[in-house]
Amino acid sequence: MAVTNGTGSSLEHNSSKNMLKLENTEKRDTLIAIEKKYQAQWKESGVFQANAPTTNEVPTRSIIPDDLRKRHPKYFGTFAFPYMNGSLHVGHSFTISKVEFTAGFSRLQGKRVLFPLGFHCTGMPIKACADKLVEDVQRFGRNFEKYEEETKSNINELPPAPTQSDVKEDITKFTSKKSKAAAKGVKLKYQFQIMLALGIAREEIHKFADANYWLKYFPPLAKQDLNDFGARIDWRRSFVTTDANPYYDTFVRWQMNRLRELDKIQYGVRYTVYSPKDGQPCMDHDRTEGEGVAPQDYTAVKLEVKEWAPKAANLIKGKIPENASVYFVPATLRPETMYGQTCCFVGPKINYGVFQVSEEVYYVITKRAAWNMAFQGTFFKSGQFPRNASELQAVVELSGASVVGTLVKAPLSIHNEGIRVLPMDTVLPTKGTGVVTSVPSDSPDDYATIKDLAKKAEYYGIEKEWAELEIPPIIDTPSYGNLSAKYLVEKMKINSPKDAKQLAEAKDLAYKEGYYKGTMLIGEFKGQPVEQAKPKVKEALIKSGEAFEYAEPNGHVVSRSGDECIVAYLGQWFLNYGENDPEWRQQTLDYVSGGMEMYTSETRHGFEKNLEWLNRWACARTYGLGSKLPWDPKFLIESLSDSTIYMAYYTIAHFLHSDNFGTQPGLFNIKPEQLIDEIWDYIFCRRDLDDGLVERCGIKRVELESMRREFEYWYPLDMRVSGKDLIPNHLTFFLYVHLALFPREYWPQSIRANGHLLLNGDKMSKSTGNFLTLSDAIKKYGADASRIALADAGDGVEDANFEEAVANSSILRLFTLKEWCEEVIKDQSLRKGASNSFWDKLFENEMYTLVHEARQHYESTNYKLALKSAFYDFLGCRDFYREATAATGIGMHHDLVLRFIEYQALLLAPIAPHWSDYVWQEVLHKPTTIQIAIYPSVPSPSLSLSAAREYVRSTTSAITSAEASQQKRKDKGKAIAFDPKLPKRLTIFANTSHPAWQGKYIDLVREQFGKTGLTGDVAADKELNGKVAKMGEMKKAMPFVQNLKKRLVQGGEDPEVVFERKLAFDETETLREMSTGLMRTTGCAEVHVVSVEEGGKVGMVVCVVEGGSGSVRDREVSVREGEGERREGLPAVAEGAMPGSPSFYFENVETSI
């Protein structure tokens, strides 16, 4: 393919029918101009630069750190720093927004807020990409000019561009597995093509062949994008990882030294996922595929060949010594079941190799299994690994079909004369050794296959008796007897080995029952529980030389260099996570289960599950970027091990350096070599300071005390935010190491894990064009509209969804609201004086309600709900007030409008800070930025006014809907009760007394409320509903009962008020206030309010509203009190009126209007 310069954004390179295209951008551009203005103002003022109280303000040792934090409340939040091999996308900003919104709200609470950000560069990705570019430059020239010539001359010879599973990783370090899967569709063959796709100019790409250039190029882009986003970040504390920053390097080396001293880092020989090409372990973030995949341990059992099948005998003749021992080597997870072997399975279509182990020993396994074993001391000496696959050649290759019928001796099997090799179509060449030993007593798969083979022996080309050997009982289980496989296959009516779904279920049941509840019936460990016998059987088999340990990845793993990984058994430095340090694991598990805020139960369960299985973790490698292991400098510290406690480094980074690389001094003139390990111990409250240490390091005592003050004030970390895909590694390591190195009071307070981010309902993918960088989102929608869309995207650990339609509509909302605020504040016609009308009170009360609601949601970090209360519902509150006061003719009150604008700016400030600060300073003319303002303190809302507001809403909606319904019937030519277009009268019937039938249900609910509190308990609700049903009036009773529960539980009303059936508000007075507005809203000539007496036939007129001449909206209205005017013969609809639920009646009237 021909290559073009790629200097544009991803919006220019990718397009998708799902991506929204903007037409008119005038409103957006206006908002962006405001954003740029306030970003510049915030930068100039340094408003986001946070500091602890100095030792001058609060002297050292004059107060304990906990009291200091109480006296000066603080918030310290971080998210997993991004990897610097690409630009940030909206997925990054979604995670960032969780910290960002909480930081904004914490500022409104009057807290000192620290939100720092560094840049992760450790590990393989950058180095691997740089090395690929070195090859590209050598092959195609400095600017890849030879690539076009190669394309023309070899266009028909070039192989298809391979799937580049590491393309996504070249965009971002921390990414979900879904994003990686999406990236597989990007077909770019060479690294320089990937760089072009990132928008890097062709003439610049060769510079990236130097790995250090990545560290200089991408961090400034990330910083600019986040500044454009309006992030409240203290950039003084930024840094890059690796030894490129010597200050951070000393911090990492201190961390590793102390962990080793605590015996948390050890050296040993163990199984680990390994890249033969890279010559080093391949951990999670070194991979393009297979994050989370770990070594799976097997017992490899040696089944010695006693007699070859004829075809196989011919193939191996002369290839191996006649006296050689040849073994089929199945890999099993259940060594305790080997007593029940009746045959050995191979895949008839699978190719096997006979591999030489020693001069007289050979194994029959797949090439894939042999390649794994080659790194585990089987074919080569331990630690002497093959350089490539050519060093491991099979002596002879055999098809599975050719070995069927071979007689082998199976260790522990009761069939001492031997068992046969038989065909099994479901054997996988990608799992285990491709050889499977059969135990039909306890394996449903094996039992179903054996039965099928015996039934169709001729079809499979075997002797029937080979598949009919005795099946001995080996494990007794309480649920399935001593032949669990036979029991489950028959019970579940499994008829064929092809019944895969049922067999998988049966296998799971059989294994769990056998392992956890089974008892051995045979062998050396007869009578022992299977759980205890299993490791003993394995040990005995290995000790006797009849088996050996074998391991392989439990999934497909590809390194960033494109190498398919295996499992190697090698010596390495590792962090001793997991079962080998049970005290450390239990301490971490206890803290997760009890001491930490996790926000969702799914997050907590994720950590608990991970802590159960997570084991030792290789913490060093020989290739990539990073800090050197202090005691073994040929190794580099891997990327998930140097990034566990860097949040502590944020607290003091600005004292040490003023640039990312530590080349410019910070607030103190400290040199990296002065930061000896004991100094870090002091800063992080692990030891006291003495004159000897001050003299040894050469750092001034006051400076050391200042650094310690920053740490002990900002720590503990209040919130750590990350995608849920980091729970299995980074976030768990983060907890382990914090608990190991820091005193208890400095352990992290909370972890908030979020789901992956979809874009317009689909997963993000560059190949489909459904992809959006943070920069592109801001250019397209502006920062505040993008932030609103991120808040609206969702919370929790389920996948969220960034809807471009939400971002686009937010532009209009923000612009329109800005215009309205600017205009209304100048409106001299607004009502002045006392703000005590009915509608004023409702408006004020609803603002109080929403202020409290928004606070609760912000405190819970439920930003979608916070946005609803703080923006959508708050606007709705204003709209209702505006319409109601216009309909009643009184107009809005100046003071309340002013208060609405102030509250709106404050409530929206965490999410849309630019818009809020503009309104705060330029509309309300406040003297300082909203970034230092305080959240509104308002009275608790009145339950009476809230109930009246809900009553007005529901009653108005019912009346206007009824009128609209009649108009629709008329338009369709159907019969109508009145003509909406002709003059009409609306009569509203209110009943002050309750129907007698409700009394028994009141008593029932009162009784149940006294017992359970009606808190939503399923059993209690079921009991209550059952009692209601038995009373025989379900249709009318159930809505009544549900309303009582709603008032008690959700509304929080006084139970006595509810049970006495008193409304929280005066219904007739509320209807009187509504009547004028209803007349104008419905276009009625008259509105009558009638209070109905028991029975609904007679009533008293409360008020009558009549309109004068003019349009419906503008005509004068007269309100005539009708006290004492008795009306009889009311229409039947009046009988339906109940307290809090009026009925109404339209009728046409003659009028002179």
Side-chain angles (χ1 to χ4, degrees), residues 10-11 14 19 88-91 93 759-760 764-766 769-778 780-781 786 802 804:
S10 65
L11 285 179
N14 298 304
M19 299 290 284
L88 304 181
H89 55 66
V90 289
S93 60
L759 179 58
N760 300 322
M764 284 201 291
S765 168
K766 296 197 79 176
N770 195 53
F771 188 82
L772 198 60
T773 66
L774 175 56
S775 175
D776 287 337
I778 295 168
K780 191 171 184 179
Y781 300 109
S786 297
F802 183 96
E804 288 191 285

Side-chain angles (χ1 to χ4, degrees), residues 554-744:
N554 62 4
H556 189 238
V557 179
V558 178
S559 75
R560 290 182 180 276
S561 62
D563 188 30
E564 183 171 349
C565 294
I566 48 84
V567 165
Y569 189 63
L570 75 164
Q572 58 187 284
W573 293 103
F574 56 83
L575 277 152
N576 199 29
Y577 302 135
E579 62 186 6
N580 293 291
D581 192 335
E583 184 179 346
W584 194 16
R585 178 169 72 173
Q586 191 59 48
Q587 179 189 46
T588 308
L589 186 58
D590 289 344
Y591 191 58
V592 164
S593 300
M596 284 199 76
E597 171 63 64
M598 293 287 184
Y599 301 97
T600 69
S601 59
E602 293 93 336
T603 299
R604 192 179 307 279
H605 293 157
F607 276 102
E608 291 170 344
K609 182 178 179 182
N610 190 52
L611 284 164
E612 288 175 3
W613 69 262
L614 179 69
N615 215 321
R616 293 168 169 174
W617 186 269
C619 61
R621 62 162 60 81
T622 57
Y623 175 79
L625 302 179
S627 296
K628 291 181 174 63
L629 205 58
W631 59 89
D632 199 349
K634 66 176 177 291
F635 288 107
L636 298 171
I637 301 165
E638 66 96 25
S639 64
L640 284 167
S641 299
D642 83 334
S643 57
T644 54
I645 58 167
Y646 65 86
M647 314 85 204
Y649 187 80
Y650 283 136
T651 63
I652 50 82
H654 60 305
F655 290 123
L656 304 178
H657 51 83
S658 58
D659 69 325
N660 288 336
F661 295 91
T663 60
Q664 301 297 322
L667 297 177
F668 300 153
N669 191 25
I670 296 173
K671 294 179 173 57
E673 55 270 22
Q674 294 178 284
L675 293 169
I676 57 178
D677 285 353
E678 292 78 8
I679 290 300
W680 290 113
D681 287 336
Y682 170 71
I683 291 171
F684 297 138
C685 302
R686 291 168 50 87
R687 63 161 290 165
D688 292 327
L689 187 63
D690 56 51
D691 292 339
L693 180 56
V694 173
E695 184 176 348
R696 280 171 55 206
C697 72
I699 302 172
K700 297 176 183 177
R701 177 181 287 270
V702 67
E703 294 177 346
L704 291 170
E705 290 175 345
S706 294
M707 288 192 285
R708 176 153 170 165
R709 165 59 58 80
E710 283 282 321
F711 171 77
E712 64 185 11
Y713 175 72
W714 290 117
Y715 252 58
L717 182 65
D718 295 288
M719 179 191 281
R720 179 65 172 169
V721 176
S722 174
K724 63 183 179 183
D725 54 317
L726 294 187
I727 291 175
N729 42 63
H730 163 71
L731 289 175
T732 301
F733 302 168
F734 157 80
L735 288 176
Y736 260 122
V737 179
H738 268 87
L739 270 58
L741 291 182
F742 296 115
R744 174 64 179 80

Side-chain angles (χ1 to χ4, degrees), residues 807-982:
N808 191 38
S809 64
S810 297
I811 294 173
L812 180 60
R813 275 198 177 95
L814 291 171
F815 182 84
T816 304
L817 182 56
K818 176 189 82 74
E819 297 275 285
W820 179 83
C821 291
E822 291 168 342
E823 293 170 6
V824 76
I825 206 164
K826 301 172 185 175
D827 189 349
Q828 298 300 313
S829 68
L830 292 177
R831 183 161 42 94
K832 302 287 179 66
S835 55
N836 57 4
S837 76
F838 174 73
W839 304 107
D840 292 340
K841 292 175 183 177
L842 288 190
F843 181 46
E844 182 179 57
N845 188 71
E846 188 168 14
M847 286 196 291
Y848 292 164
T849 299
L850 293 172
V851 168
H852 283 289
E853 275 186 15
R855 175 190 286 273
Q856 291 170 3
H857 296 320
Y858 277 128
E859 288 174 343
S860 302
T861 72
N862 291 321
Y863 307 112
K864 185 178 179 75
L865 293 175
L867 177 68
K868 181 177 182 294
S869 299
F871 191 36
Y872 301 144
D873 290 350
F874 212 69
L875 280 178
C877 166
R878 178 214 58 180
D879 293 343
F880 181 87
Y881 177 61
R882 180 170 58 181
E883 292 165 10
T885 53
T888 53
I890 63 173
M892 296 185 294
H893 194 283
H894 174 272
D895 295 349
L896 289 179
V897 168
L898 203 63
R899 204 184 315 169
F900 165 83
I901 296 173
E902 182 171 324
Y903 288 170
Q904 179 65 96
L906 290 167
L907 265 61
L908 199 53
I911 296 173
H914 310 87
W915 184 93
S916 294
D917 214 354
Y918 170 83
V919 170
W920 189 254
Q921 294 193 55
E922 299 190 38
V923 176
L924 296 173
H925 303 295
K926 301 288 185 178
T928 56
T929 174
I930 202 169
Q931 299 286 4
I932 58 173
I934 300 298
Y935 195 83
S937 177
V938 299
S940 297
S942 160
L943 292 177
S944 173
L945 289 171
S946 295
R949 175 68 180 83
E950 185 58 35
Y951 178 86
V952 170
R953 259 199 192 99
S954 59
T955 302
T956 301
S957 176
I959 290 172
T960 54
S961 296
E963 183 189 25
S965 171
Q966 289 296 305
Q967 185 60 50
K968 288 180 181 178
R969 291 181 63 85
K970 180 183 177 183
D971 294 341
K972 294 178 180 179
K974 296 182 179 181
I976 55 176
F978 68 96
D979 189 337
K981 296 295 185 182
L982 297 177

